[in-house]
Amino acid sequence: METFNELKPGYDFLLGENVSYQNVSKNNPFTISSLGDVNVFEWASKYRDSLNNILLEKGAILLRGFKIGGAENFNKLFSIISGEAIEYKNRTSPRDRVYSNVYTSTSHPNDQTIHMHTENSYSNEYNRIIAFYSLVPASEGGETPIADERKLMESLKEGTLKKFKDKGVLYMRNSLPGIGLDWETIYQTTDKNQVNKTLENLGYDYTWVDDDHLRVTWKLKAIHKHPITGKDMWFNHMFFGINSHYDPAVLEFLGEENLPFLTYYGDGTKIEPEVVEEFVNYYKENSIVFKWEQDDFLLLDNMMFSHGRRPFVGARTTLTAMGQPFKMTK
C-alpha cells in the first residue's frame, strides 16, 4: 500500500507536512493519516478547499489517527469540511438522533447485511455528502464497504444501461405496524393529512390500505447529473430494493405487494435476475473494505460512492451526518 507525504504531480493542492497519504486500494479509500498531534479542526479549516477537491476526484476520503472525540466534535468537523449537517427526512432506515443532525447509522440487527446503496437516492431531495464516524468499532466485522458508482455504470452491459435510462426506477414502499418503519417515523408527523399533502406535492401515488398501512409508489430517473461536475451518475436505490434480498419466508408471509421497500423498472416490470447479478458481481469484486478504527472519519460523495454494512459481533457505534442537499432533476 503506497504511502507518501506529497500528492503526486497533477494535484494542485497540498495538505501540510503533518499528515501522510495512502492511495486507493481494495483495502482502503484515499486515506489521510495524522503523523502527530494535529489539531484536526484547525487543519480542516486550513485545507478545506483541498479536501473538497480531493473528494470530487476520489469520491471517498478516510481521515485516520486524528483526535476527534465524540458526536459533537464529529458534527463540528463535518460542518467545517462540508457545511451544516441536514435533518434526516423521508426515512427508510431506523436511526436515533445523537447530537444536532448527527444520527446513529442504520440500527438493523447486527447479524444482518445492509446492502449497497446511495443515501436518499430514492427521494426527490438528496444529500450530496455523507460522512461516517467510528465511535466504537465492532470487535469483529461491522465493516462499511464502499464502491465507486462511476465504475459501476461503466461496467454495466449496454442493454442494461439503456433499459434503466429509458425506463427509470419505480419505487414501492409499505408502512406496516411492526414491519420496517411506520409512516409516522418516515414522514416525522402523526398527522395523516400532512402526509397526504406531502405525497401529493411530490406527485407520488398513495393508498391507505387501512389506518396503519400506507402504500406509496413513485418513479425517478436512474441516472442523474452530478451538481458540481455535471457528469452523469448512476444514482438510484434500485439495488437496495431488490426482492431477492428478502428472506424467502418473509416474502411468502407478506406477499411481494406488502414488502417494506421494493424496486422495479420504471414501467412496473420486474428487474431480471441476470441484471441483478451484474450488480451483485460488481459489488463483490469492486467494494473497498477496511476495518474501522476508533475516531475514523469517512467522507463520501454520496453520488459517486455507495456504502453498506457487514454483520458484526459485540458493541458497534457508528455515527453519520449528511449535507449539501439538492433536488432531483426531472
Side-chain angles (χ1 to χ4, degrees):
M1 189 184 300
E2 183 182 16
T3 300
F4 50 100
N5 290 320
E6 286 188 4
L7 293 167
K8 289 186 171 181
Y11 290 96
D12 57 357
F13 40 75
L14 298 173
L15 291 171
E17 298 177 354
N18 296 318
V19 298
S20 65
Y21 314 92
Q22 292 178 324
N23 232 337
V24 181
S25 78
K26 284 285 291 182
N27 300 314
N28 63 276
F30 186 88
T31 302
I32 305 171
S33 300
S34 171
L35 294 177
D37 190 16
V38 177
N39 183 310
V40 68
F41 309 108
E42 293 177 0
W43 173 81
S45 296
K46 182 175 181 179
Y47 295 106
R48 178 182 185 274
D49 289 345
S50 293
L51 289 167
N52 280 288
N53 284 336
I54 294 172
L55 189 66
L56 278 174
E57 179 178 332
K58 302 293 186 180
I61 300 173
L62 177 64
L63 303 184
R64 172 161 283 178
F66 295 90
K67 295 178 181 178
I68 299 173
E72 185 173 352
N73 284 340
F74 168 51
N75 181 71
K76 180 179 179 180
L77 182 58
F78 180 88
S79 298
I80 290 169
I81 299 172
S82 301
E84 293 299 314
I86 61 175
E87 184 180 357
Y88 180 44
K89 297 180 179 179
N90 194 14
R91 305 183 178 196
T92 55
S93 303
R95 303 183 193 271
D96 297 318
R97 190 191 297 264
V98 176
Y99 174 85
S100 185
N101 284 326
V102 171
Y103 300 85
T104 57
S105 60
T106 303
S107 305
H108 283 306
N110 62 357
D111 62 342
Q112 293 183 5
T113 295
I114 298 175
H115 296 285
M116 302 297 284
H117 63 284
T118 42
E119 207 68 37
N120 284 318
S121 56
Y122 56 85
S123 182
N124 284 59
E125 184 172 290
Y126 66 93
N127 49 292
R128 187 182 78 84
I129 300 294
I130 188 167
F132 298 94
Y133 170 65
S134 181
L135 185 65
V136 180
S139 59
E140 182 181 334
E143 297 91 350
T144 299
I146 61 174
D148 195 327
E149 299 293 284
R150 297 167 295 184
K151 293 179 180 178
L152 167 66
M153 193 164 77
E154 292 173 0
S155 78
L156 294 176
K157 294 178 180 177
E158 185 178 342
T160 298
L161 196 57
K162 185 178 189 308
K163 257 191 171 182
F164 280 108
K165 278 183 176 179
D166 292 346
K167 296 185 176 186
V169 179
L170 183 71
Y171 300 93
M172 182 175 73
R173 170 187 277 166
N174 285 282
S175 307
L176 284 161
I179 300 172
L181 298 182
D182 56 37
W183 60 267
E184 293 95 337
T185 301
I186 293 170
Y187 300 105
Q188 294 291 285
T189 182
T190 57
D191 185 347
K192 287 185 177 181
N193 290 327
Q194 182 58 47
V195 173
N196 294 345
K197 184 177 179 181
T198 297
L199 295 173
E200 288 162 9
N201 287 340
L202 290 170
Y204 292 3
D205 294 323
Y206 67 94
T207 302
W208 288 97
V209 180
D210 58 41
D211 286 343
D212 294 319
H213 182 179
L214 173 63
R215 180 179 295 135
V216 183
T217 58
W218 69 101
K219 178 184 172 182
L220 290 172
K221 293 192 298 184
I223 296 168
H224 298 265
K225 287 194 179 297
H226 192 284
I228 297 177
T229 68
K231 294 182 178 179
D232 283 344
M233 294 285 152
W234 177 264
F235 189 59
N236 58 72
H237 227 60
M238 181 280 295
F239 187 70
F240 188 82
I242 295 297
N243 66 358
S244 58
H245 289 332
Y246 287 91
D247 186 308
V250 173
L251 185 56
E252 183 178 359
F253 176 75
L254 289 177
E256 184 172 301
E257 72 280 3
N258 292 319
L259 291 172
F261 192 90
L262 204 60
T263 54
Y264 302 92
Y265 287 117
D267 61 2
T269 55
K270 291 187 177 182
I271 299 164
E272 303 90 343
E274 59 271 23
V275 170
V276 175
E277 195 67 17
E278 290 185 55
F279 293 86
V280 171
N281 290 337
Y282 176 81
Y283 290 128
K284 182 179 179 180
E285 295 169 7
N286 295 280
S287 290
I288 298 170
V289 184
F290 64 94
K291 185 170 177 58
W292 282 113
E293 296 181 9
Q294 188 170 4
D295 261 357
D296 276 354
F297 178 104
L298 177 66
L299 188 65
L300 301 179
D301 185 304
N302 184 46
M303 296 192 80
M304 296 182 184
F305 264 78
S306 58
H307 63 275
R309 191 207 70 186
R310 293 190 169 178
F312 62 94
V313 174
R316 177 188 187 271
T317 303
T318 305
L319 306 181
T320 188
M322 294 165 267
Q324 298 189 26
F326 287 90
K327 291 190 180 298
M328 289 286 194
T329 55
K330 297 291 187 182

